[in-house]
Amino acid sequence: MRTIMSIIVFLTVTSVLLGVYHWSSYQDSTSEKNLAIDETVRVTESNETLMIEHQMDSLPKMQIPLSVPSQADDLSCLEEECQIENGELNVESPGAYTLEYQISKTTIVPSVYYINDWLVKLDPEQRDQKSRNFRMTLSGKKQGQWHSIRPPVLDSERNNIHYYEWQFEDSVEPPLIKLKEPLNYQERLNRLNIISNEPISQKKLQTLQKTFNQSHDQLLIVNSNLEKVITDHLVIVSNLNNSTEKMFESYLQSVSTNVERDQQVIQTLTDLYYKQDVDHPRVNALTETLTNEEQSRLFQRLMDLEMHQGSLIQLLDELLSDLLGYQTQFFELNHASESFISLFGEETRPLYINGEQVDYDLKRKDEQVYMKMNDFISVFDLYGFSIDQRHEWFVESDEKEYRFYSNRSVYMIDHTRFQVDQSAWFETDESFYVSISLLSEIFNRTFEENSEEIRLE
């Protein structure tokens, strides 16, 4: 009996110890994967640099990669229990730790310092930055004026120091902007921080509010003495005329993770929403395909995108596909092509030819279905070929000659010329797609479609 009791006690103690061990391991792994850390960044200005003390509270014992800006110099950890080696922060025991480094002050245009992407960060994949509390203070020289994408919660002068304090509650990485000549007027409009050298009327503020309401913070500086600037966080303009256009361009830059690659998309969307009578193929394709309501819905969805969300090319193709109800790669194809490619999508309904289901590449555009000309020639055993130099397709059928001119809205049957609208066909870099409805009419075929299938006889 005593032996049995001893075994029971032993098993119970072992189970408890194993449970504590696994719970401890779970807590450690959970904390490293979902770090929600309060941060305090103290910035001290000197003539050429900013000295940074970056304190992170409640760090667990861990080893985590660091993202270090290229302009950060002399990076170190002030406490003995943490070290930085090979791009990783090694914390030996839980607690608050402070990273110290310095950043060079750089000008973006004369009289304006712009310090962006300057914070050393823990690996974002292993921490929950959206729930963080971020406090930033700056002790600056009295000459000039510092700003960020939000107004400071504290702005005061102490002896020869101008002291600022900002508070952020999300994953924003605030830039620092210094104007050598201070501006006297400041307004806050939704998520837009406005600094100006003259008062801004309520009428202009209301116009800004109606026409542009972004989902994250930006800074607009209005000063006729400064050069124009458009970045992902900052816009400098001489006056408020067309400022919403510049803010929209800046906003799209802030969403993009590759502004240079996405520049074509940014310009197209800016032209679509903020410029009148723009005659450009990409803009025309959007205005001809999207209704006014769909254009408004697209704009609203753009305003809901997050900072640094991804490739604008991919994001816009996804938004367009959702609006149109079919898959399109409009921006991706035009980015990769030297010539313009129409806005079309993938046709997913099955195709039956002479009662048999076949697998051909079909497209959708303007509620029409399109087929490659060479596929149509092949499936109906016609004689035909393309003459690339003349942008012409030649087809022979029932002792008649047909000519289709891909760069014009024209085709010919023998010597008779026929005019068609611009939706009759389109080209990609590799193929010539023609409306199946038009082909069936020209070549006396029967074309039927419904929500389930497409038939061609």
Side-chain angles (χ1 to χ4, degrees), residues 207-429:
T207 301
L208 277 173
Q209 187 170 19
K210 288 179 181 179
T211 55
F212 193 70
N213 182 16
Q214 72 275 34
S215 62
H216 47 254
D217 298 291
Q218 289 176 287
L219 175 63
L220 173 63
I221 296 176
V222 185
N223 189 338
S224 57
N225 297 322
L226 298 176
E227 295 181 18
K228 183 184 77 171
V229 169
I230 302 176
T231 75
D232 57 350
H233 290 292
L234 169 68
V235 172
I236 300 178
V237 293
S238 58
N239 56 65
L240 284 177
N241 297 333
N242 299 322
S243 59
T244 50
E245 172 191 328
K246 312 302 181 189
M247 290 303 303
F248 182 66
E249 184 176 343
S250 170
Y251 171 80
L252 293 176
Q253 287 188 29
S254 71
V255 172
S256 171
T257 51
N258 190 335
V259 173
E260 183 177 355
R261 184 175 188 268
D262 288 337
Q263 194 56 50
Q264 185 185 89
V265 183
I266 294 172
Q267 189 60 56
T268 299
L269 293 172
T270 303
D271 290 345
L272 174 66
Y273 288 111
Y274 289 99
K275 294 185 179 178
Q276 301 293 325
D277 303 322
V278 175
D279 186 16
H280 191 281
R282 290 191 300 275
V283 178
N284 294 341
L286 292 171
T287 56
E288 291 165 5
T289 304
L290 299 175
T291 65
N292 289 337
E293 181 183 351
E294 287 171 334
Q295 291 179 44
S296 297
R297 286 165 56 197
L298 176 61
F299 182 85
Q300 192 54 55
R301 293 187 184 186
L302 288 171
M303 292 294 98
D304 293 334
L305 295 174
E306 296 181 0
M307 191 177 295
H308 306 309
Q309 183 161 336
S311 161
L312 280 178
I313 292 174
Q314 181 180 346
L315 290 170
L316 261 295
D317 281 340
E318 290 173 357
L319 291 176
L320 281 177
S321 298
D322 187 48
L323 283 173
L324 296 173
Y326 53 79
Q327 195 70 30
T328 183
Q329 292 181 299
F330 175 66
F331 284 105
E332 183 65 52
L333 291 172
N334 277 287
H335 173 75
S337 174
E338 294 182 0
S339 57
F340 171 70
I341 297 175
S342 296
L343 174 53
F344 62 84
E346 302 296 328
E347 176 57 71
T348 58
R349 291 174 294 177
L351 170 65
Y352 294 86
I353 295 181
N354 296 328
E356 182 180 350
Q357 184 173 349
V358 292
D359 186 17
Y360 283 106
D361 177 24
L362 302 183
K363 305 297 184 186
R364 285 184 64 183
K365 179 177 181 289
D366 300 329
E367 301 302 320
Q368 294 195 58
V369 183
Y370 295 80
M371 187 176 191
K372 291 180 181 178
M373 176 63 87
N374 56 327
D375 287 343
F376 185 86
I377 291 171
S378 174
V379 76
F380 289 110
D381 198 23
L382 306 178
Y383 175 73
F385 54 86
S386 66
I387 308 172
D388 293 340
Q389 297 86 347
R390 294 163 54 179
H391 298 279
E392 177 185 337
W393 272 85
F394 174 85
V395 182
E396 191 175 72
S397 175
D398 297 330
E399 299 183 353
K400 291 182 180 180
E401 294 182 349
Y402 302 80
R403 288 178 170 83
F404 299 83
Y405 297 95
S406 60
N407 62 340
R408 293 181 287 162
S409 300
V410 170
Y411 71 93
M412 296 184 68
I413 302 178
D414 291 332
H415 300 291
T416 305
R417 174 189 174 106
F418 297 87
Q419 190 81 25
V420 294
D421 62 37
Q422 293 182 348
S423 65
W425 51 66
F426 62 88
E427 277 190 297
T428 68
D429 286 344

Side-chain angles (χ1 to χ4, degrees), residues 125-156:
E125 295 184 0
Q126 298 192 41
R127 59 170 302 184
D128 180 11
Q129 295 191 73
K130 292 185 178 180
S131 62
R132 74 176 180 174
N133 217 352
F134 184 88
R135 176 174 169 265
M136 179 171 68
T137 67
L138 190 150
S139 298
K141 295 177 175 295
K142 291 192 68 173
Q143 300 79 14
Q145 186 181 63
W146 283 95
H147 297 280
S148 190
I149 50 179
R150 295 184 189 175
V153 295
L154 182 62
D155 181 348
S156 64

Side-chain angles (χ1 to χ4, degrees), residues 170-233:
D170 48 32
S171 60
V172 68
E173 298 173 16
L176 287 169
I177 298 97
K178 182 178 183 180
L179 304 177
K180 294 183 180 179
E181 297 297 329
L183 302 182
N184 297 322
Y185 300 95
Q186 183 163 335
E187 296 283 352
R188 181 69 171 171
L189 184 63
N190 300 321
R191 305 293 294 271
L192 180 61
N193 192 22
I194 307 173
I195 313 295
S196 176
N197 60 347
E198 60 183 30
I200 301 173
S201 68
Q202 286 301 312
K203 183 177 180 180
K204 288 185 177 180
L205 286 175
Q206 290 172 0
T207 301
L208 277 173
Q209 187 170 19
K210 288 179 181 179
T211 55
F212 193 70
N213 182 16
Q214 72 275 34
S215 62
H216 47 254
D217 298 291
Q218 289 176 287
L219 175 63
L220 173 63
I221 296 176
V222 185
N223 189 338
S224 57
N225 297 322
L226 298 176
E227 295 181 18
K228 183 184 77 171
V229 169
I230 302 176
T231 75
D232 57 350
H233 290 292

Side-chain angles (χ1 to χ4, degrees), residues 41-44 50-52 103 105-106 108 112-119 134 136-138 145-150 164 166 168 173-179 219 233-234:
V41 175
R42 292 177 287 273
V43 183
T44 304
L50 299 177
M51 180 59 69
I52 314 297
I103 299 288
K105 291 162 58 179
T106 55
I108 190 168
V112 180
Y113 286 112
Y114 181 64
I115 295 91
N116 191 29
D117 189 24
W118 56 281
L119 285 172
F134 184 88
M136 179 171 68
T137 67
L138 190 150
Q145 186 181 63
W146 283 95
H147 297 280
S148 190
I149 50 179
R150 295 184 189 175
Y164 308 81
W166 292 269
F168 301 91
E173 298 173 16
L176 287 169
I177 298 97
K178 182 178 183 180
L179 304 177
L219 175 63
H233 290 292
L234 169 68

Side-chain angles (χ1 to χ4, degrees), residues 30-195:
T30 301
S31 62
E32 289 185 18
K33 291 180 180 178
N34 299 285
L35 294 172
I37 302 169
D38 289 343
E39 299 178 50
T40 300
V41 175
R42 292 177 287 273
V43 183
T44 304
E45 180 186 13
S46 64
N47 289 333
E48 303 296 332
T49 63
L50 299 177
M51 180 59 69
I52 314 297
E53 291 186 3
H54 189 164
Q55 179 177 315
M56 302 182 186
D57 294 340
S58 305
L59 286 182
K61 179 181 179 181
M62 64 176 182
Q63 189 170 344
I64 187 170
L66 290 175
S67 175
V68 182
S70 57
Q71 66 266 39
D73 294 324
D74 302 329
L75 174 62
S76 63
C77 186
L78 295 184
E79 290 78 16
E80 293 182 357
E81 292 82 4
C82 74
Q83 296 85 34
I84 299 172
E85 296 178 353
N86 301 320
E88 290 188 334
L89 177 65
N90 186 15
V91 178
E92 296 178 356
S93 60
Y97 292 92
T98 302
L99 304 180
E100 185 178 68
Y101 51 99
Q102 58 183 3
I103 299 288
S104 298
K105 291 162 58 179
T106 55
T107 57
I108 190 168
V109 293
S111 301
V112 180
Y113 286 112
Y114 181 64
I115 295 91
N116 191 29
D117 189 24
W118 56 281
L119 285 172
V120 172
K121 299 178 287 292
L122 303 182
D123 184 357
E125 295 184 0
Q126 298 192 41
R127 59 170 302 184
D128 180 11
Q129 295 191 73
K130 292 185 178 180
S131 62
R132 74 176 180 174
N133 217 352
F134 184 88
R135 176 174 169 265
M136 179 171 68
T137 67
L138 190 150
S139 298
K141 295 177 175 295
K142 291 192 68 173
Q143 300 79 14
Q145 186 181 63
W146 283 95
H147 297 280
S148 190
I149 50 179
R150 295 184 189 175
V153 295
L154 182 62
D155 181 348
S156 64
E157 294 186 16
R158 303 176 182 175
N159 299 324
N160 293 323
I161 295 175
H162 200 144
Y163 180 83
Y164 308 81
E165 183 175 329
W166 292 269
Q167 191 76 32
F168 301 91
E169 300 82 25
D170 48 32
S171 60
V172 68
E173 298 173 16
L176 287 169
I177 298 97
K178 182 178 183 180
L179 304 177
K180 294 183 180 179
E181 297 297 329
L183 302 182
N184 297 322
Y185 300 95
Q186 183 163 335
E187 296 283 352
R188 181 69 171 171
L189 184 63
N190 300 321
R191 305 293 294 271
L192 180 61
N193 192 22
I194 307 173
I195 313 295

